[in-house]
Amino acid sequence: MAPRKAVDQELSREAIIDVAHQLFVDQGFQAVSMRMIARELGYSHGAIYYHFKNKADLFYAMIEQDFAMINQELAQLDKLELSREEKLKELLLGFIRFGLTYPNHYEVMFIMNDKELQHYATNAPEQSYQQFAQAVAALTNQQIEIKKIWSVFLMLHGFVAHYCRIGHSFQEVEELAMSHVDMILGMIYMG
Amino acid sequence: MAPRKAVDQELSREAIIDVAHQLFVDQGFQAVSMRMIARELGYSHGAIYYHFKNKADLFYAMIEQDFAMINQELAQLDKLELSREEKLKELLLGFIRFGLTYPNHYEVMFIMNDKELQHYATNAPEQSYQQFAQAVAALTNQQIEIKKIWSVFLMLHGFVAHYCRIGHSFQEVEELAMSHVDMILGMIYMG
DNA sequence: CCCTTAATTAACCGTTGTTCAATTAAATCG
DNA sequence: CGATTTAATTGAACAACGGTTAATTAAGGG
């Protein structure tokens, strides 16, 4: 009935996640079907069920990767040879850069709004935010209120969310991003 | 085959929009079906098609109503008996209030990334933003750069988008909103 | 009594997530 | 090398649900 493909063309968890990612971001969880993913991959839909238990399972595996990535990027900031001010600026700009470099990831992590999945994808964002907040606090010598850090995050989020939506790259909006970040920094340092 | 209901119980466009409104808020465009709306109304799904051409038609009729709402709300600001500073504050806070009071419409206007529907809902947001930007410029005596107004908008957008996502009402986050707005105002006035 | 309006219901046709027997390629073993 | 086992893929089948349409029926006004 059905030929099995050669070993060098075997389907992998990663390949599925990659394709699923693009589709989920483009169209949302509900709108993307297992069949669509399979079609895009050039495989039958049944094949996906060999690698993932079900649709939700695939989805969770997908965003798990994403959060690991941003956490790692946040952690790497400490190692830079920069002043506190420069590090802070790099932190804020880096958040934007991450969001626009991996818009698919960012959208799934912080923008996408699906009732079914939100329950599962609520812990990881919180954890990433905590890491961000701690970095900001450290880089401002704990002089900044908790509430303010949260506002800063939302200000960055607004920038990223908007340009994610209209599909601009970081390069295209780099100048605007810098000016946005400068405004935020001004606000942080002026109390 | 099927009895028609009495006149005093006839289905109306408004009734449909009201129910659809609630459901769309709760679950989003894709997740809400015509059958669900009809079930909620206590009518058959076919009945809706007498009042609306199709699902998209219903959806647009629904948001059209409230598209005018934000513009009207922006316009009404002029008539308030307040100082410029107070008006500006009310403008920023009002934007957040609108977004969280009508999260589904806000989502369609500024967040949703549905290819099908975005085509229809791309002009109106731009128009609303222009009105917002002009109001800000006027209330700051044209002392603020264009770029800065845009950043201010994105800062508000970040707030609304996030709390839309996790489904909080304006009341629930009113204090946070005020503090967020105060930060933005501080930034505006400090250059 | 006819005609428009409004509602119901069945039906059409497509898609969905998921399961599963059948099938085949690769790997392993004798 | 040949036989057997294991892994991976297929495609059919299922039951549910989607939007939409058309035939049908009933209500009320002229």
Side-chain angles (χ1 to χ4, degrees):
Chain A
M1 263 196 190
R4 176 183 175 177
K5 299 205 173 173
V7 85
D8 59 325
Q9 294 177 345
E10 261 178 19
L11 196 49
S12 69
R13 272 186 137 246
E14 281 66 33
I16 297 173
I17 287 179
D18 278 358
V19 167
H21 218 281
Q22 292 168 21
L23 291 177
F24 276 130
V25 164
D26 236 40
Q27 330 209 25
F29 179 77
Q30 304 264 9
V32 175
S33 67
M34 300 297 257
R35 285 170 163 89
M36 284 174 62
I37 297 167
R39 209 178 303 135
E40 193 75 19
L41 282 161
Y43 283 74
S44 73
H45 55 279
I48 298 177
Y49 285 90
Y50 182 80
H51 299 273
F52 296 95
K53 212 176 78 222
N54 53 34
K55 193 180 175 184
D57 187 38
L58 164 56
F59 183 82
Y60 304 139
M62 185 181 93
I63 64 173
E64 207 169 292
Q65 274 192 358
D66 295 342
F67 281 105
M69 193 186 298
I70 195 173
N71 289 341
Q72 192 195 346
E73 228 156 272
L74 285 172
Q76 276 180 343
L77 215 87
D78 259 347
K79 294 166 193 159
L80 295 177
E81 295 277 347
L82 295 171
S83 70
R84 250 203 284 277
E85 286 83 3
E86 288 169 325
K87 271 189 185 173
L88 182 55
K89 187 170 184 170
E90 192 47 43
L91 173 62
L92 304 192
L93 206 59
F95 185 85
I96 293 178
R97 192 185 300 112
F98 173 86
L100 296 183
T101 305
Y102 308 103
N104 300 11
H105 302 231
Y106 190 87
E107 278 201 58
V108 171
M109 288 190 285
F110 296 109
I111 299 176
M112 214 176 77
N113 186 4
D114 192 284
K115 262 270 170 75
E116 255 183 277
L117 299 172
Q118 211 161 21
H119 174 259
Y120 292 85
T122 186
N123 231 14
E126 178 62 27
Q127 210 172 339
S128 285
Y129 170 70
Q130 287 306 331
Q131 204 168 339
F132 172 85
Q134 273 176 13
V136 172
L139 292 174
T140 55
N141 255 358
Q142 325 287 335
Q143 299 288 317
I144 185 171
E145 300 165 61
I146 300 283
K147 238 186 340 190
K148 240 178 213 186
I149 300 180
W150 179 237
S151 273
V152 167
F153 173 78
L154 292 179
M155 289 171 177
L156 294 172
H157 173 61
F159 190 96
V160 178
H162 178 263
Y163 286 109
C164 262
R165 186 190 190 216
I166 64 178
H168 283 27
S169 73
F170 180 68
Q171 265 78 26
E172 287 178 271
V173 297
E174 187 162 8
E175 257 181 89
L176 264 172
M178 300 232 272
S179 128
H180 194 68
V181 165
D182 282 337
M183 286 182 72
I184 297 172
L185 285 173
M187 198 199 55
I188 290 175
Y189 290 122
M190 289 191 190
Chain B
M1 264 196 188
R4 174 181 174 177
K5 296 200 175 175
V7 159
D8 59 325
Q9 293 177 345
E10 264 178 19
L11 195 48
S12 70
R13 270 185 137 246
E14 280 65 34
I16 297 173
I17 287 180
D18 278 357
V19 166
H21 194 283
Q22 292 168 20
L23 290 177
F24 279 127
V25 167
D26 243 39
Q27 330 210 28
F29 177 76
Q30 304 267 7
V32 175
S33 68
M34 299 296 258
R35 285 171 159 90
M36 283 173 64
I37 297 168
R39 209 178 304 133
E40 193 75 17
L41 282 161
Y43 284 74
S44 69
H45 56 278
I48 299 178
Y49 284 89
Y50 181 80
H51 298 273
F52 296 96
K53 212 176 79 225
N54 52 34
K55 191 182 176 185
D57 187 38
L58 164 56
F59 188 76
Y60 300 135
M62 187 182 93
I63 67 173
E64 201 172 299
Q65 276 191 358
D66 302 273
F67 250 127
M69 196 182 296
I70 191 174
N71 292 338
Q72 193 194 345
E73 230 160 90
L74 285 172
Q76 275 182 345
L77 220 86
D78 259 347
K79 295 167 191 155
L80 295 176
E81 296 277 345
L82 296 172
S83 68
R84 250 203 283 275
E85 286 83 3
E86 289 170 322
K87 273 188 185 175
L88 182 56
K89 185 169 185 170
E90 193 46 44
L91 172 61
L92 304 192
L93 205 60
F95 184 86
I96 293 178
R97 190 186 302 114
F98 175 86
L100 297 182
T101 306
Y102 307 102
N104 60 326
H105 301 122
Y106 189 86
E107 215 181 313
V108 170
M109 287 189 277
F110 299 110
I111 300 176
M112 213 174 76
N113 207 355
D114 193 291
K115 283 212 177 116
E116 255 184 278
L117 299 174
Q118 207 166 15
H119 175 258
Y120 292 84
T122 185
N123 229 13
E126 179 61 26
Q127 210 172 339
S128 286
Y129 171 71
Q130 287 307 332
Q131 203 168 339
F132 171 85
Q134 273 176 13
V136 172
L139 292 174
T140 54
N141 256 0
Q142 325 287 334
Q143 298 288 316
I144 186 171
E145 300 164 63
I146 300 284
K147 234 184 347 186
K148 236 175 215 184
I149 300 180
W150 180 237
S151 272
V152 167
F153 174 77
L154 292 179
M155 289 170 175
L156 294 172
H157 173 60
F159 191 96
V160 178
H162 178 263
Y163 286 109
C164 261
R165 185 186 192 222
I166 64 177
H168 282 28
S169 72
F170 180 69
Q171 264 78 26
E172 287 177 270
V173 296
E174 186 161 9
E175 257 181 90
L176 264 172
M178 300 233 271
S179 129
H180 193 68
V181 164
D182 282 338
M183 285 183 73
I184 297 173
L185 286 173
M187 198 199 56
I188 290 176
Y189 290 123
M190 289 192 190

